Amino acid sequence: MVGSGGANDIASCARKTIYIMRQEARKFRESISFITSPGYVRGSDSRQKAGLSGGPSRVITDKAIYGFHPETKQMMLLSIHPGTNSRMFFQQ
């Protein structure tokens, strides 16, 4: 979630969150500068160790649907919407 006007409270306390957004390169980064709303923090069980329950369940964009690996908690591509150029997901 962008900004901190209540987003942190929701992301920290909700049992599950689903993010819906446009898929843009500026929003999908390899690394980030700061976190305003925690997801799986550093992966694995780091969210629970931080005292937070739940976590993100899905990220739904105008191009695809993403989920989270059950053990590592790393975001992963689940499906690409019909009509979307799949080459953008598999560029080297």
Side-chain angles (χ1 to χ4, degrees), residues 6-90:
N8 185 3
D9 295 337
I10 294 168
S12 295
C13 299
R15 291 184 192 167
K16 268 188 191 178
T17 51
I18 298 173
Y19 297 95
I20 301 172
M21 59 196 287
R22 288 196 181 277
Q23 186 161 333
E24 300 171 348
R26 68 184 183 92
K27 294 180 180 179
F28 281 74
R29 310 295 290 201
E30 188 69 30
S31 63
I32 56 174
S33 302
F34 57 91
I35 297 173
T36 57
S37 302
Y40 287 109
V41 191
R42 290 179 184 85
S44 190
D45 62 350
S46 60
R47 184 176 173 89
Q48 283 70 30
K49 286 182 179 178
L52 304 171
S53 61
S57 173
R58 295 286 185 267
V59 175
I60 301 172
T61 74
D62 54 330
K63 303 198 182 321
I65 298 175
Y66 298 86
F68 295 87
H69 188 276
E71 293 174 16
T72 66
K73 304 302 184 193
Q74 188 170 24
M75 192 168 83
M76 60 187 186
L77 179 65
L78 296 178
S79 67
I80 300 171
H81 298 322
T84 300
N85 184 348
S86 62
R87 285 182 287 178
M88 72 177 284
F89 296 94
F90 305 106

